[in-house]
């Protein structure tokens, strides 16, 4: 009996050691793959390499095959089981949960990230986008560095925003002068003539959501290098150029405008600025359910009407 117990203990110990030392199983995904001149077939995808191709197998116990990229016509990946929950977080604007979920998918299936628009590549994009909307700009930079290390590959439709994630990362680093240089690349080059120029250089023709991001990036950089008048112009454009479609960016743009108006040297006596600040504070409070920060609540009170002030002065004079 003692001998039997010792034998079972040894077997159990060997099993634990074997489990500890065994390599982690590859995180695979099924996919419908269409090879050129061949019908669609189901494969298990294991690894992507931008040079070698896509490593696949018919079963986890069978041998592997490397499909050269030149052989592949189309790949339709089966989304991971975690994908639906991550998308649900995104749709509910729970950006913290979304960033965590997408980041986990990007890490778990990282071996497939070099294949264009694969689930882990898309997850990297959505993780960065969630962190940007959350306002976690250092987090954007960290996720971007990870995506570079994993050779994440995405199609052209994601290219503009992937490039902008670098700029958002600079916000996290508080590298304001470098950020202005990056944004400058998107500005339209104006002719050198005598025609009056706009107060801020316009951007090249781009989708409105990209323009809104660029306006915010240039505004926050100018605010932090002391160009507050320029920042005020761009903060206002953030929530007008894209008609306020992105709630998070609209909120940050409006708060930026209120900061610049509060610090404006003429706010104490300039009625136009006072009316602008009042209208913006009221609009913010209506749009964001009474969440106007305390520092801007004085703007909720309407500025005095010049006619009323005139009447008061006449009464005092008599």
């Amino acid at each position: 009996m003692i001998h039997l117990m010792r034998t079972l203990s040894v077997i159990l110990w060997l099993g634990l050691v074997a489990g500890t030392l065994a390599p982690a199983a590859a995180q695979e995904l099924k996919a419908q793959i269409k090879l050129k001149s061949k019908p669609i077939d189901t494969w298990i995808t294991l690894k992507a390499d931008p040079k070698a191709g896509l490593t696949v197998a018919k079963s986890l116990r069978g041998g592997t095959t490397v499909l050269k990229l030149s052989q592949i016509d189309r790949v339709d990946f089966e989304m991971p089981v975690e994908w639906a929950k991550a998308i649900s977080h995104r749709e509910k604007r729970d950006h913290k949960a979304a960033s965590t979920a997408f980041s986990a998918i990007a890490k778990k299936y990282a071996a497939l990230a070099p294949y264009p628009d694969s689930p882990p590549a898309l997850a990297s994009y959505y993780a960065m986008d969630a962190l940007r909307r959350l306002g976690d700009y250092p987090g954007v930079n960290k996720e971007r560095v990870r995506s570079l290390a994993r050779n994440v590959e995405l199609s052209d439709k994601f290219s503009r925003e992937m490039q902008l994630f670098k700029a958002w990362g600079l916000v996290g680093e508080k590298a304001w002068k470098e950020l202005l240089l990056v944004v400058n690349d998107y500005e339209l080059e104006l002719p050198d003539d005598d025609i009056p120029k706009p107060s801020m250089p316009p951007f090249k023709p781009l989708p409105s959501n990209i323009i809104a991001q660029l306006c915010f990036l240039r505004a926050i950089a100018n605010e932090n290098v002391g160009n507050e008048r320029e920042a005020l112009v761009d903060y206002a454009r953030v929530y007008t150029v894209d008609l306020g479609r992105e709630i998070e960016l609209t909120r940050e743009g409006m708060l930026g405008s209120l900061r610049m108006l509060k610090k404006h040297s003429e706010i104490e006596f300039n009625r136009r600025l006072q009316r602008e600040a009042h209208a913006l504070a009221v609009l913010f409070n209506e749009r964001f359910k009474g969440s106007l920060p305390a520092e801007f609540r004085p703007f909720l009170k309407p500025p005095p009407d010049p006619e009323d002030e005139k009447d008061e002065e006449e009464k005092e004079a008599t």
Side-chain angles (χ1 to χ4, degrees), residues 62-187:
T64 60
T65 302
V66 177
L67 303 175
K68 293 182 180 179
L69 297 181
S70 58
Q71 295 178 272
I72 300 173
D73 193 28
R74 191 177 78 250
V75 177
D76 295 322
F77 286 96
E78 184 179 289
M79 302 310 282
V81 292
E82 306 95 330
W83 191 264
K85 193 167 187 179
I87 286 292
S88 176
H89 290 317
R90 176 179 168 83
E91 290 173 347
K92 293 174 183 175
R93 293 195 175 93
D94 186 350
H95 301 306
K96 187 174 181 61
S99 66
T100 301
F102 282 120
S103 184
I105 293 170
K107 180 180 179 181
K108 184 175 180 180
Y109 302 95
L112 291 166
Y115 195 85
D117 294 354
S118 62
L122 292 172
S124 287
Y125 166 81
Y126 285 125
M128 283 183 272
D129 189 58
L131 289 163
R132 174 184 72 79
R133 292 169 186 259
L134 187 63
D136 183 357
Y137 306 126
V140 172
N141 204 40
K142 289 177 184 177
E143 195 64 40
R144 178 178 162 272
V145 169
R146 291 189 196 107
S147 74
L148 292 173
R150 293 169 183 158
N151 295 313
V152 166
E153 192 67 36
L154 288 160
S155 56
D156 290 344
K157 66 181 178 181
F158 296 99
S159 61
R160 287 196 185 103
E161 290 198 69
M162 286 298 287
Q163 290 166 11
L164 275 186
F165 285 137
K166 177 183 178 182
W168 287 105
L170 292 174
V171 177
E173 294 178 356
K174 302 186 187 303
W176 309 119
K177 291 182 179 179
E178 189 178 347
L179 177 56
L180 283 172
L181 289 173
V182 170
V183 173
N184 183 63
D185 290 339
Y186 293 89
E187 293 174 355

Side-chain angles (χ1 to χ4, degrees), residues 111-299:
L112 291 166
Y115 195 85
D117 294 354
S118 62
L122 292 172
S124 287
Y125 166 81
Y126 285 125
M128 283 183 272
D129 189 58
L131 289 163
R132 174 184 72 79
R133 292 169 186 259
L134 187 63
D136 183 357
Y137 306 126
V140 172
N141 204 40
K142 289 177 184 177
E143 195 64 40
R144 178 178 162 272
V145 169
R146 291 189 196 107
S147 74
L148 292 173
R150 293 169 183 158
N151 295 313
V152 166
E153 192 67 36
L154 288 160
S155 56
D156 290 344
K157 66 181 178 181
F158 296 99
S159 61
R160 287 196 185 103
E161 290 198 69
M162 286 298 287
Q163 290 166 11
L164 275 186
F165 285 137
K166 177 183 178 182
W168 287 105
L170 292 174
V171 177
E173 294 178 356
K174 302 186 187 303
W176 309 119
K177 291 182 179 179
E178 189 178 347
L179 177 56
L180 283 172
L181 289 173
V182 170
V183 173
N184 183 63
D185 290 339
Y186 293 89
E187 293 174 355
L188 193 64
E189 190 172 342
L190 299 175
D192 188 13
D193 53 31
D194 296 331
I195 298 175
K197 304 296 187 294
S199 58
M200 293 299 294
F203 291 108
K204 297 172 184 176
L206 291 164
S208 58
N209 68 311
I210 299 294
I211 296 290
Q213 289 186 53
L214 288 168
C215 287
F216 181 86
L217 290 164
R218 189 167 65 181
I220 196 170
N222 273 318
E223 177 184 358
N224 282 280
V225 297
N227 301 330
E228 293 173 359
R229 290 178 185 269
E230 290 85 350
L232 178 57
V233 172
D234 270 336
Y235 275 132
R237 293 184 68 201
V238 170
Y239 49 88
T240 55
V241 72
D242 195 32
L243 304 177
R245 287 189 180 92
E246 186 184 310
I247 291 176
E248 298 82 8
L249 197 58
T250 295
R251 186 179 192 279
E252 291 306 310
M254 293 176 81
L255 288 175
S257 287
L258 288 166
R259 279 198 309 276
M260 295 304 95
L261 287 166
K262 185 181 179 185
K263 293 169 70 174
H264 201 289
S265 59
E266 298 177 10
I267 191 66
E268 293 299 325
F269 57 85
N270 189 313
R271 290 289 182 262
R272 181 186 63 80
L273 290 176
Q274 290 173 359
R275 287 194 295 270
E276 186 178 334
H278 169 65
L280 190 57
V282 170
L283 181 61
F284 183 98
N285 232 23
E286 289 177 354
R287 179 85 189 265
F288 299 104
K289 300 178 181 178
S291 62
L292 184 69
E295 62 180 307
F296 304 127
R297 287 196 168 272
F299 288 144

Side-chain angles (χ1 to χ4, degrees), residues 27-31 43-45 77-80 109 112 119-120:
Q27 296 299 329
E28 70 286 340
L29 286 173
K30 285 185 179 180
W43 294 86
I44 296 171
T45 58
F77 286 96
E78 184 179 289
M79 302 310 282
Y109 302 95
L112 291 166

